[in-house]
């Protein structure tokens, strides 16, 4: 896997890939300090050569000039590499959802590439509705579930108890 890009969207995409357990090679001719810090030893301060793409299976392209992005997409396709050029639907083989992680809680928004702006607005709204404390809330719900299951409770009883806890704590409007 590789990421080619720069700017805030490249940093966000790299952070998402890292959070998901990936360790992509990062190509960025003008990487700022934050992107360089995220990329670590995987940073190459140039665009990838065609030969460097030979071992890549998935390529993300974010925040580079249109001509360079189109050339990279073409080179990737010639090698059978899946490519996603952020916000350029004709150059994408797949679309990535907007992602919110709160511990083991994962929320995603996708418009199938039709409106990245809408996906971003919805993701930002979900981030306010589900702040970081939801990671702890999920741990609390999992502990309740485990206790009830350990005591022999069946699915409907566990579901009702979890729903009752969510309501009693006022976690959702």
């Amino acid at each position: 896997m590789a990421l080619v890009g720069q700017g805030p969207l490249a940093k966000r995409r790299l952070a998402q890939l890292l959070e998901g357990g990936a360790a992509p090679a990062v190509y960025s001719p003008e990487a700022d300090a934050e992107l360089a810090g995220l990329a670590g030893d995987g940073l190459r301060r140039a665009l990838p050569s065609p030969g460097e793409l030979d071992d890549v299976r998935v390529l993300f392209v974010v925040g580079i000039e249109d001509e360079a992005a189109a050339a990279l997409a073409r080179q990737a396709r010639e090698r059978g590499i899946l490519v996603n050029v952020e916000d350029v639907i004709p150059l994408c083989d797949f679309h990535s959802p907007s992602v919110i992680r709160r511990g083991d809680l994962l929320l995603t928004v996708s418009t199938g590439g039709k409106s990245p702006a809408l996906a971003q607005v919805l993701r930002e709204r979900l981030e306010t509705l589900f702040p970081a404390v939801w990671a702890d809330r999920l741990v609390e719900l999992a502990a309740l579930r485990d206790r009830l299951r350990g005591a022999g409770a069946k699915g409907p009883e566990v579901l009702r108890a979890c729903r009752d806890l969510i309501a009693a704590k006022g976690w959702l409007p």
Side-chain angles (χ1 to χ4, degrees):
M1 177 180 302
L3 173 94
V4 178
Q6 54 202 24
L9 293 178
K11 289 182 262 194
R12 180 177 311 171
R13 177 65 63 206
L14 179 55
Q16 288 174 343
L17 293 171
L18 294 171
E19 286 173 5
V26 179
Y27 296 87
S28 183
E30 300 175 23
D32 64 15
E34 185 179 359
L35 183 61
L38 283 171
D41 293 337
L43 178 64
R44 291 143 178 104
R45 291 186 180 273
L47 294 178
S49 68
E52 288 174 308
L53 292 176
D54 286 340
D55 293 329
V56 173
R57 298 290 163 249
V58 178
L59 178 66
F60 290 90
V61 180
V62 186
I64 66 169
E65 296 294 324
D66 291 345
E67 284 185 30
L72 281 167
R74 186 178 61 257
Q75 292 169 11
R77 284 198 183 85
E78 289 169 357
R79 289 165 174 74
I81 299 168
L82 292 173
V83 62
N84 176 288
V85 178
E86 193 99 10
D87 292 341
V88 186
I89 294 170
L91 297 180
C92 292
D93 295 321
F94 65 96
H95 304 288
S96 295
S98 286
V99 175
I100 301 107
R101 287 185 188 272
R102 302 296 188 241
D104 287 329
L105 178 62
L106 178 67
L107 305 167
T108 64
V109 176
S110 176
T111 62
K114 300 275 192 277
S115 179
L118 176 59
Q120 179 181 2
V121 167
L122 291 173
R123 177 188 47 78
E124 290 167 354
R125 181 70 176 131
L126 285 171
E127 286 174 337
T128 63
L129 291 172
F130 295 91
V133 69
W134 274 91
D136 296 331
R137 290 174 178 174
L138 179 56
V139 169
E140 187 174 343
L141 285 164
L144 172 62
R145 179 181 184 270
D146 290 346
R147 279 193 313 276
L148 292 171
R149 286 287 194 184
K154 301 294 181 207
E157 183 182 347
V158 173
L159 176 62
R160 186 173 41 259
C162 289
R163 293 176 68 95
D164 289 349
L165 177 65
I166 292 166
K169 298 265 186 164
W171 289 345
L172 293 172

